Amino acid sequence: MSAPGAAQPSPAAPRDRRFLFALAAVLGVLVLVGGTLGFVSLTQGPRITEVQVNPKEAIESSGSRVILTANQSLAAIDESQVTVEPAVPFTLDAAGRGIGIRFTVPLDDDTDYTVSVADAVGAGGGPSSTLTTSFSTPASALFLLQRDPDGDDSIFRTDLAGEGVKVFTADKINDFRATSSQLVVSIEEAEGSKLLVMDRDGKNPRELDLPGVGFVGAIQVSDRGGYVGYSYSDKKLTDTEGRASVLVTQSLSGDDEPVVTEVGDKEANIFVWQFVPDSAAVLFIDFDGALSLVDRSTDAGVQSLGLATTIQGISRGTYTAIVERLDGTVVELNLADGTEVPLEPSDPDYGTATTITPFPGGTLRHVVARDENGIPSGQAVVRVDDDGKATKLAEVDSSDSILQACASPSGQYAAVVIAPDLTDNPYDQMLLPLPQKLETHLLDLRTGDEIVALTGFDASWCQTAPQF
């Protein structure tokens, strides 16, 4: 018993001491864990905490990225430290904790890719480590147009096995193009053309304003630039009134007015044109044979590039165009600095090509064989690698005709459009007239093997519609 008048111990004192002991224990554990993690970090080197990549976009367009985020700021990273398997050209942008690898060409479909960064070191020093990530690209798909002389025309989405689904129908579909997220469709009506933009599944169609009442042809899209371009002619056209074959570009969003391309403050009549891949720039030849370049994303104006008769194609990721000059020479033209070199002949040499379509790694060349009287006796599509080695991919005799050959974005596959049985294959009556029977043959561009033959044409891999 306590003596009278003595101070009584507080009942909370033991609890306070227990709390202080527990707090000290927790703090001790945290210090130990923090020290351990710091030690592990110092002994293991940098690690990846986040990876950003869009495999679907990567197979459809150049310029896609893999972005690696590390757990700490990194010392400078050089391109020599980065490897991509399977190999593909890339550029590097690294700062702080982030490492961005930009692929300058599209990737192959249905492929496992591994990206590694060797000898990554923290900005403050310490041990190095290799940062590695892997991702898989999806299988390819493409869109085809089927015209029906007795019913509605249809746009199909199909895989490489030929399993297709109808996504859009209309009475008369003249042409279409596809971006990574949208379809642009030109419909032919009695009063003129109608231009629609819709989702890739055919839903949510909306109409774009045209420069007037008239006809649209040669549709192309700039996916990265967000533009559609086309050749436009007024319905009411005489020797003194109306516009003929002017080049029009406008935003796919529909939030701007159609812009008619001008040269010297005058609307230019365009013979042939192409979007520069993965940009908002347009390369065109007017009716006077002047080759010009204009970029919608800048105010630089029209750049003159001499005279030419046609534009064969423009390579992805290189800013290089294949054009034919007035003297018949075919050159590779650097659109950035205006320099050019002759296009090397193939080995073996299959003669002058009627069309040349570039792809990452080479070109597809459409050649025509002729007899001693100059009459066509057959046609072929030849793959020509960058080193000039040539291999025939597809060949027909004089009873059939090859209308177009183009490659998938990465150059993994080819689509060859053939009109069979020309003597029994009448033209349709569309604004872009073509034989009623058309086949698209899909081939493995690396092996030359045919994958499947499909009914239809206007493959979305192609930058433009076929011409006959």
Side-chain angles (χ1 to χ4, degrees), residues 55-67:
K56 181 177 180 296
E57 178 189 2
I59 68 172
E60 294 185 342
S61 61
S62 58
S64 64
R65 294 176 183 269
V66 172
I67 300 176

Side-chain angles (χ1 to χ4, degrees), residues 108-301:
D108 287 348
D109 84 323
D110 198 19
T111 301
D112 297 327
Y113 283 90
T114 299
V115 177
S116 299
V117 182
D119 300 323
V121 179
S128 65
S129 63
T130 298
L131 308 178
T132 301
T133 190
S134 297
F135 63 94
S136 299
T137 55
S140 282
L142 72 160
F143 293 88
L144 292 173
L145 172 58
Q146 292 181 357
R147 288 179 179 170
D148 185 347
D150 302 317
D152 285 344
D153 300 337
S154 302
I155 297 173
F156 283 81
R157 184 181 187 273
T158 179
D159 60 21
L160 300 192
E163 297 294 328
V165 58
K166 189 182 299 184
V167 298
F168 182 75
T169 61
D171 182 28
K172 291 184 177 181
I173 300 177
N174 191 58
D175 191 9
F176 83 97
R177 296 265 66 82
T179 74
S180 60
S181 60
Q182 297 173 306
L183 295 177
V184 183
V185 183
S186 171
I187 296 175
E188 189 175 321
E189 297 183 339
E191 61 273 18
S193 297
K194 178 185 293 186
L195 196 60
L196 302 179
V197 178
M198 63 193 70
D199 300 339
R200 280 168 66 104
D201 59 5
K203 296 180 180 178
N204 303 314
R206 52 187 171 79
E207 187 173 354
L208 292 180
D209 292 333
L210 298 181
V213 178
F215 301 101
V216 166
I219 299 174
Q220 295 181 42
V221 290
S222 168
D223 197 348
R224 194 168 299 279
Y227 289 100
V228 58
Y230 49 88
S231 172
Y232 172 81
S233 297
D234 285 321
K235 182 178 181 180
K236 187 176 181 181
L237 185 62
T238 67
D239 292 339
T240 59
E241 185 180 2
R243 295 164 290 186
S245 298
V246 294
L247 173 58
V248 179
T249 57
Q250 62 192 106
S251 171
L252 285 168
S253 65
D255 57 5
D256 66 349
E257 295 295 323
V259 176
V260 178
T261 301
E262 296 183 347
V263 177
D265 297 326
K266 180 181 178 182
E267 293 181 349
N269 303 108
I270 305 302
F271 170 65
V272 64
W273 74 279
Q274 283 195 25
F275 270 120
V276 178
D278 307 311
S279 77
V282 175
L283 184 68
F284 62 90
I285 300 174
D286 64 23
F287 280 11
D288 294 325
L291 178 68
S292 303
L293 180 73
V294 62
D295 193 336
R296 278 290 311 269
S297 64
T298 71
D299 297 324

